[in-house]
């Protein structure tokens, strides 16, 4: 008999991959949309170079999405899930640092930060329930 229960790690990888896909596409092709997370000081600091950085960041984010979608097709183990959970934890730290140490980001930037923190917590909980290393 086939197991019809949804695979929690597969759902996790796909959900996080989709989340990052949206941000990766925006950063790559519509970086001006990221201005909604910036203060006036951040918007005034935009240069052709910063737009170039957004392009690179967009492709970096898209590469994470590709990896997450590939992981969703594999049998996951604790190590894989923990490694995936570290990714949004690092982004959470970066967002918190940016909000606390610069005047470029507005409070709306907390939304992706909280989402990343939730993905990290979710991943560490899944890893704790996984049966294989």
């Amino acid at each position: 008999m086939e197991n019809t229960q949804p695979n929690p790690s597969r759902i996790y990888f796909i959900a996080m991959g989709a989340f990052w896909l949206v941000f990766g596409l925006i950063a790559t092709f519509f970086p001006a949309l990221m201005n909604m997370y910036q203060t006036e000081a951040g918007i005034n600091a935009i240069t052709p170079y910063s737009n170039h950085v957004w392009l690179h960041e967009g492709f970096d984010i898209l590469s994470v999405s590709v990896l997450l979608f590939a992981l969703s097709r594999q049998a996951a183990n604790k190590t894989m899930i923990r490694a995936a959970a570290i990714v949004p934890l690092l982004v959470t730290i970066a967002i918190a640092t940016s909000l606390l140490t610069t005047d470029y980001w507005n409070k709306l930037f907390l939304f992706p930060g909280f989402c990343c923190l939730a993905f990290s917590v979710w991943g560490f909980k899944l890893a704790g329930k996984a049966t294989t290393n």
Side-chain angles (χ1 to χ4, degrees):
M1 178 176 265
E2 186 177 327
N3 182 2
T4 58
Q5 293 290 73
N7 180 331
S9 61
R10 179 176 163 84
I11 293 167
Y12 173 68
F13 291 134
I14 290 171
M16 192 163 48
F19 175 81
W20 288 114
L21 180 66
V22 170
F23 281 96
L25 290 171
I26 290 169
T28 303
F29 299 108
F30 308 104
L33 196 53
M34 296 303 282
N35 289 348
M36 78 173 117
Y37 297 111
Q38 296 184 19
T39 62
E40 193 66 34
I43 293 170
N44 290 335
I46 292 172
T47 66
Y49 176 72
S50 59
N51 286 332
H52 176 74
V53 171
W54 276 121
L55 175 71
H56 274 266
E57 177 141 343
F59 280 114
D60 293 344
I61 295 169
L62 291 172
S63 69
V64 171
S65 289
V66 169
L67 286 172
L68 289 165
F69 290 136
L71 288 174
S72 76
R73 308 293 295 167
Q74 304 300 311
N77 60 44
K78 287 182 184 212
T79 304
M80 249 165 104
I81 299 167
R82 278 189 198 121
I86 290 170
V87 173
L89 180 60
L90 294 174
V91 176
T92 301
I93 293 167
I95 289 172
T97 301
S98 294
L99 281 167
L100 294 171
T101 63
T102 73
D103 62 348
Y104 298 129
W105 302 99
N106 66 39
K107 300 295 184 224
L108 190 56
F109 204 35
L110 288 169
F111 174 73
F114 285 133
C115 290
C116 290
L117 182 60
F119 276 118
S120 185
V121 170
W122 183 12
F124 283 116
K125 283 187 172 195
L126 282 175
K129 293 177 184 176
T131 57
T132 61
N133 272 338

